């Protein structure tokens, strides 16, 4: 056995032994939980970048009266009071590539009530005015780079704000393994881990693009999961094998969003006032445990 083969074997054995030790600890813990029931010791929280994140003064505590009062008068207050019904217009950059067109087509299954408007040579300000005139509550624009979806711009109408997200990790339905068929039912929503003031605003914006009441007949659920400022999107369907056994099947598409800036008011990159913008040096620099959402 040469030196390289010996090192590979030693490394393989080391990884295997660590895995078996972990498996054994897990079995012992489950056995103890079964024996002690409610008196079992609590599970230890794993040490990850998320659980060890740097404390942020903008963290929102549950039941914060100041936050609740602000949200009663914010841009989405009418939606949460059920005074308006969400109406979304989706468009693209000028002359979009095939990949962008396919992505937008699948986004329309995420937002079943959304309407697509071909961009052609229209300017964003013209589209914004048109959407307001037609009583849309939100305008979504998908731009591209290197012939792939690159930015998602969401403008809440008629007064803003406007969010700029970077898109990554796009996987269309056809590339998923055994995906469920899409339907026109409004999904349930699951927005997880938006814990700061900025995170709350982003989650309220995303939530307000869906009707308040989901159509439970569709048995679908849309998840926006924030983890280290990356918002992972998934769309699943519940499958009831029996009254006790429930599993989920992914519908698609998959994609990840990262907030780049939040602009007060409507789309205006030259004269608009930024409520928040990502700057690496100001957002913790090399501190990998500092997050904004």
């Amino acid at each position: 056995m040469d030196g390289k083969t010996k090192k590979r074997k030693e490394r393989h054995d080391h990884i295997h032994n660590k895995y078996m030790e972990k498996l054994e600890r897990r079995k012992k813990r489950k056995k103890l939980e079964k024996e002690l029931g409610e008196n079992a010791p609590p599970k230890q929280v794993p040490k990850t970048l998320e659980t060890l994140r740097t404390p942020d003064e903008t963290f929102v505590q549950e039941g914060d009266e100041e936050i609740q009062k602000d949200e009663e008068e914010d841009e989405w207050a009418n939606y949460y009071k059920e005074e308006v019904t969400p109406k979304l217009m989706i468009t693209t950059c000028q002359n979009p590539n095939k990949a962008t067109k396919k992505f937008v087509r699948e986004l329309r299954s995420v937002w079943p009530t959304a309407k697509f408007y071909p961009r052609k040579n229209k300017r964003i300000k013209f589209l914004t005015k048109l959407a307001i005139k037609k009583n849309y509550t939100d305008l979504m624009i998908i731009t591209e780079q290197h012939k792939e979806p690159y930015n998602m711009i969401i403008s809440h109408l008629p007064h803003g704000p406007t969010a700029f997200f970077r898109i990554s990790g796009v996987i269309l339905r056809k590339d998923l393994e055994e995906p469920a068929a899409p339907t026109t039912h409004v999904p349930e929503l699951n927005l997880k881990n938006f814990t700061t003031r900025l995170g709350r605003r982003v989650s309220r914006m995303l939530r307000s693009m869906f009707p308040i009441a989901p159509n439970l007949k569709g048995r679908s659920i849309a998840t926006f999961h924030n983890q280290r400022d990356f918002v992972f999107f998934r769309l699943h369907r519940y499958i009831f094998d029996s009254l006790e056994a429930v599993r989920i099947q992914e519908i698609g598409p998959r994609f990840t969003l990262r907030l780049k800036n939040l602009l007060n008011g409507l789309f205006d990159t030259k004269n608009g006032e930024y409520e928040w913008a990502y700057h690496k040096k100001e957002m913790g620099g090399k501190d990998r445990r500092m997050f904004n959402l």
Side-chain angles (χ1 to χ4, degrees):
M1 185 183 295
D2 60 27
K4 286 185 178 179
T5 306
K6 186 178 180 181
K7 282 184 179 179
R8 279 200 300 268
K9 187 177 184 308
E10 288 175 353
R11 179 168 175 76
H12 175 271
D13 291 344
H14 175 69
I15 293 172
H16 177 72
N17 290 337
K18 286 190 72 174
Y19 172 75
M20 294 307 294
E21 288 173 7
K22 187 177 179 180
L23 197 64
E24 190 62 32
R25 288 197 301 270
R26 191 180 297 167
K27 286 180 179 178
K28 286 181 179 178
R29 188 175 68 244
K30 285 188 175 180
K31 184 179 179 182
L32 189 64
E33 287 175 354
K34 194 173 181 180
E35 291 174 354
L36 298 179
E38 295 180 355
N39 298 319
K43 290 182 180 179
Q44 293 183 345
V45 178
K47 293 183 179 180
T48 64
L49 289 175
E50 190 74 33
T51 58
L52 297 174
R53 68 184 293 179
T54 302
D56 189 324
E57 63 181 13
T58 66
F59 271 146
V60 176
Q61 301 295 332
E62 209 50 53
D64 189 313
E65 292 184 2
E66 182 184 348
I67 297 294
Q68 290 176 353
K69 190 173 181 180
D70 288 345
E71 290 179 348
E72 286 174 2
E73 301 173 353
D74 71 4
E75 301 90 336
W76 303 282
N78 289 347
Y79 164 80
Y80 286 93
K81 293 174 185 175
E82 300 187 48
E83 294 174 357
V84 295
T85 302
K87 190 179 177 184
L88 173 64
M89 177 192 285
I90 302 179
T91 189
T92 63
C93 54
Q94 295 177 356
N95 303 313
N97 193 267
K98 192 178 291 185
T100 302
K101 289 179 180 178
K102 288 180 179 178
F103 180 57
V104 167
R105 197 176 300 129
E106 296 206 2
L107 284 180
R108 293 179 67 191
S109 68
V110 177
W111 285 277
T113 58
K115 301 295 182 183
F116 175 71
Y117 188 88
R119 173 77 177 271
K120 297 182 180 178
N121 61 348
K122 303 290 192 303
R123 292 182 175 273
I124 292 179
K125 288 187 177 180
F126 171 84
L127 292 174
T128 302
K129 290 178 181 178
L130 178 66
I132 293 172
K133 186 177 179 181
K134 291 182 176 292
N135 296 318
Y136 283 93
T137 59
D138 296 277
L139 172 64
M140 178 188 292
I141 304 164
I142 304 298
T143 68
E144 63 182 37
Q145 189 175 69
H146 305 305
K147 299 182 180 181
E148 296 289 337
Y150 188 66
N151 285 323
M152 179 184 287
I153 303 169
I154 300 173
S155 192
H156 184 63
L157 307 176
H159 304 300
T162 300
F164 292 73
F165 294 96
R166 183 66 41 79
I167 305 171
S168 62
V170 174
I171 300 179
L172 300 180
R173 189 175 301 113
K174 68 180 181 61
D175 298 317
L176 295 174
E177 188 176 342
E178 298 182 2
T183 68
T184 57
H185 297 92
V186 176
E188 297 178 65
L189 276 187
N190 181 22
L191 292 113
K192 295 182 65 177
N193 209 27
F194 294 89
T195 54
T196 65
R197 279 180 176 257
L198 177 63
R200 292 270 297 198
R201 285 182 63 73
V202 170
S203 68
R204 282 173 71 79
M205 171 178 268
L206 294 172
R207 177 71 183 88
S208 70
M209 295 165 68
F210 293 84
I212 283 280
N215 190 329
L216 300 180
K217 290 182 179 179
R219 294 180 286 108
S220 57
I221 181 167
T223 300
F224 291 92
H225 178 76
N226 171 48
Q227 189 169 356
R228 302 192 297 276
D229 289 346
F230 290 90
V231 181
F232 297 90
F233 174 81
R234 300 290 185 271
L235 182 64
H236 293 93
R237 173 160 299 121
Y238 295 107
I239 297 175
F240 294 90
D241 294 321
S242 66
L243 291 176
E244 293 78 22
V246 182
R247 57 191 174 91
I248 56 175
Q249 184 180 12
E250 191 166 359
I251 299 172
R254 288 183 195 175
F255 57 88
T256 304
L257 301 174
R258 187 167 195 189
L259 183 67
K260 286 300 178 181
N261 56 66
L262 187 64
L263 185 68
N264 279 327
L266 301 175
F267 182 88
D268 188 350
T269 54
K270 288 185 178 180
N271 303 311
E273 178 186 348
Y274 287 92
E275 179 179 331
W276 181 89
Y278 177 81
H279 297 288
K280 188 171 183 180
K281 289 184 179 179
E282 295 178 13
M283 301 305 165
K286 294 184 179 180
D287 187 352
R288 295 174 62 229
R289 296 181 301 174
M290 185 172 181
F291 309 115
N292 304 296
L293 299 184

